[in-house]
Amino acid sequence: MSKTAGIIIIGNEVLSGKTQDINSTFLCRELRLLGVDVQRVTVIPDDLELIGRTAARFSAKWDLVFTTGGVGPTHDDVTIEGIAHGFGVEAVIHPRLEQRLSERYGDDLNPARLRMAMVPEGAELLGGGALFAPVVRMKNVYIFAGVPRILQDRFNAIKEQFRESPYHLRNIYIKDGEGAIAGTLNDLLERFPEILLGSYPVLDNPEYKVKVTVESKSGEYLDRAVTSLLENLPESAILRVEEG
């Protein structure tokens, strides 16, 4: 079985439309390539109690949890305190982070900046050799900043630890509409219940009307499923088949 993951996007600015969330798209794509099955993405406000409840609930339900946003020196950066509260511990100053901040800011290290050295008590720092500010891990919750470039750099520094056996993917481009192929897709799932099957209508491409995706962690199982699907679709309906 694949490791499962949940993603928590934290920030009033996302919910108000002031900031577009691209972090969940990045994490979903990268985790999929690593063989991890993302099962939930949620967006919540900068609310300490809600952050804590959500992080604890996700931690109990999925193997890996990723949070983005709410990490910084300002009043609305309450993710660390929230996650600490959710796990029943205090938010404390980590000496290694405090040292790094002191080296960077010197006499300008004020109380607001020092908040960036806070972690939930018992948390671990990851990727410290490659990054100025390491990733904070509390149990199975990985805490990231919300700035996309920072998140991406930090994720790329530690992502290999999440690698699983990969998903195998076929993309099949169909000239007929979904209504014409729905029965064939339903029959395929009955014969191959362990595949992941997707059907996505396309409105702006004159060559095809539906993109069908078939995925499995077993290459042999996937090959058999795709062969069966192609045999049961009209040859005239198939534009092309591509490996993902």
Side-chain angles (χ1 to χ4, degrees):
M1 296 293 291
S2 301
K3 285 184 179 177
T4 58
I7 298 171
I8 307 170
I9 306 299
I10 300 166
N12 295 338
E13 69 277 10
V14 176
L15 290 168
S16 66
K18 295 173 184 175
T19 299
Q20 182 179 5
D21 166 44
I22 62 175
N23 289 331
S24 62
T25 302
F26 169 82
L27 288 172
C28 286
R29 181 179 65 246
E30 293 297 314
L31 289 167
R32 192 68 171 184
L33 291 173
L34 292 167
V36 177
D37 182 16
V38 177
Q39 296 191 347
R40 181 71 57 84
V41 177
T42 191
V43 184
I44 60 175
D46 299 300
D47 180 285
L48 189 150
E49 294 280 347
L50 181 58
I51 291 170
R53 290 198 306 271
T54 306
R57 178 166 53 87
F58 272 48
S59 175
K61 189 171 181 63
W62 290 291
D63 299 315
L64 305 168
V65 180
F66 300 87
T67 76
T68 79
V71 179
T74 59
H75 68 283
D76 56 349
D77 292 317
V78 294
T79 294
I80 294 294
E81 294 97 322
I83 291 175
H85 180 71
F87 285 105
V89 300
E90 297 295 322
V92 298
I93 299 294
H94 195 290
R96 201 165 97 205
L97 292 179
E98 182 180 20
Q99 179 183 356
R100 290 191 177 194
L101 289 169
S102 180
E103 291 170 352
R104 180 172 184 176
Y105 293 111
D107 294 338
D108 292 327
L109 181 57
N110 56 32
R113 286 171 171 156
L114 190 58
R115 292 187 71 232
M116 293 188 291
M118 293 180 67
V119 301
E121 189 174 14
E124 180 183 2
L125 303 182
L126 303 177
L131 303 164
F132 166 72
V135 178
V136 177
R137 180 177 71 183
M138 181 62 183
K139 297 185 182 295
N140 61 338
V141 179
Y142 296 79
I143 305 168
F144 288 86
V147 179
R149 181 174 177 180
I150 296 175
L151 177 143
Q152 292 170 21
D153 286 346
R154 293 179 182 178
F155 181 84
N156 286 331
I158 66 170
K159 69 179 184 180
E160 286 304 317
Q161 68 182 271
F162 308 124
R163 188 173 294 281
E164 296 274 293
S165 58
Y167 284 97
H168 301 275
L169 168 67
R170 296 289 187 280
N171 298 311
I172 304 167
Y173 299 87
I174 308 295
K175 298 177 185 178
D176 292 340
E178 278 192 310
I181 66 171
T184 303
L185 298 182
N186 292 336
D187 291 342
L188 181 70
L189 277 177
E190 290 187 5
R191 293 192 300 274
F192 297 92
E194 295 180 17
I195 62 168
L196 299 172
L197 183 63
S199 177
Y200 308 102
V202 177
L203 302 178
D204 56 356
N205 191 309
E207 291 188 306
Y208 63 94
K209 294 182 180 179
V210 182
K211 176 182 176 182
V212 173
T213 63
V214 189
E215 295 178 84
S216 173
K217 287 208 166 186
S218 168
E220 183 272 336
Y221 190 77
L222 177 67
D223 288 340
R224 289 196 291 117
V226 170
T227 298
S228 177
L229 175 60
L230 297 179
E231 288 175 348
N232 286 279
L233 286 171
E235 185 175 349
S236 60
I238 304 167
L239 176 65
R240 64 179 183 272
V241 179
E242 295 178 348
E243 291 191 9

